[in-house]
Amino acid sequence: MAQNISPRGERGNARKANDGSSSGGRDTHSVSKRLHSELLSLMTKGDKGISAFPDGDNIFKWVGTIQGPSDTVFSGITFKLSLEFPSGYPYTAPLVKFTSPCFHPNVDSAGNICLDILKDKWSALLDVRTILISIQSLLGEPNIDSPLNVRAAQMWKNQEAYKKHLLEVVHNKST
């Protein structure tokens, strides 16, 4: 039998999308079990300023929220994120993006986030809670030496002007 034919008789790339609809094998079950455990942990720990829940019935797609850290230009702003978990989770990092407008040195205009733990520093020991806390921390402490958004990085030094522009961006794109 050819290598590109799945046991279910499908041809082509055996890799499935991150929708959790791949064959209901053991891997999907273990990922689902891990995600249910992480959801329970998130709900019981009650960390202030972060939350995440499955988007409908799909345990592989979540909606997260992060409140901007106090004592930063992001204070008082709530951001929404999407989290998509691959079938290889937790050994493969989830795809995490801002879905609400976020003007930040390490976030591009499409909501992609430049954060080492979501790329080359990912570890199976990390979880949704750690991801959300890390992104919340990144909001107040950006890496301006390696920006995705060069304009935001240049403006970062003048916090008053940055805050004014941030509020314009958040207000204009959310209306």
Side-chain angles (χ1 to χ4, degrees), residues 76-147:
I77 302 172
T78 300
F79 297 96
K80 290 192 178 195
L81 302 107
S82 68
L83 297 91
E84 294 187 23
F85 300 92
S87 60
Y89 184 80
Y91 303 104
T92 305
L95 175 63
V96 183
K97 294 175 73 169
F98 279 90
T99 57
S100 58
C102 182
F103 183 71
H104 187 276
N106 304 118
V107 179
D108 69 14
S109 60
N112 297 307
I113 305 165
C114 182
L115 182 61
D116 59 357
I117 66 162
L118 295 176
K119 308 286 186 227
D120 58 325
K121 300 288 186 196
W122 176 256
S123 164
L125 299 175
L126 300 174
D127 60 11
V128 173
R129 179 178 173 270
T130 307
I131 292 167
L132 295 176
I133 290 171
S134 296
I135 294 171
Q136 188 180 46
S137 176
L138 180 70
L139 287 175
E141 299 173 21
N143 178 358
I144 58 172
D145 296 327
S146 179

Side-chain angles (χ1 to χ4, degrees), residues 54-87:
D55 187 8
D57 292 335
N58 189 348
I59 192 71
F60 290 85
K61 291 185 180 186
W62 291 25
V63 175
T65 59
I66 296 177
Q67 292 178 0
S70 58
D71 301 325
T72 71
V73 294
F74 299 98
S75 180
I77 302 172
T78 300
F79 297 96
K80 290 192 178 195
L81 302 107
S82 68
L83 297 91
E84 294 187 23
F85 300 92
S87 60

Side-chain angles (χ1 to χ4, degrees), residues 11-53:
R11 292 189 178 271
N13 190 346
R15 190 174 180 170
K16 293 287 184 179
N18 295 341
D19 64 0
S21 64
S22 60
S23 64
R26 197 169 118 201
D27 290 342
T28 303
H29 177 71
S30 63
V31 174
S32 178
K33 188 174 178 181
R34 162 87 182 236
L35 290 171
H36 277 96
S37 173
E38 290 189 30
L39 177 60
L40 184 60
S41 176
L42 260 176
M43 292 185 330
T44 57
K45 292 202 175 172
D47 292 298
K48 186 173 180 157
I50 63 167
S51 68
F53 296 95

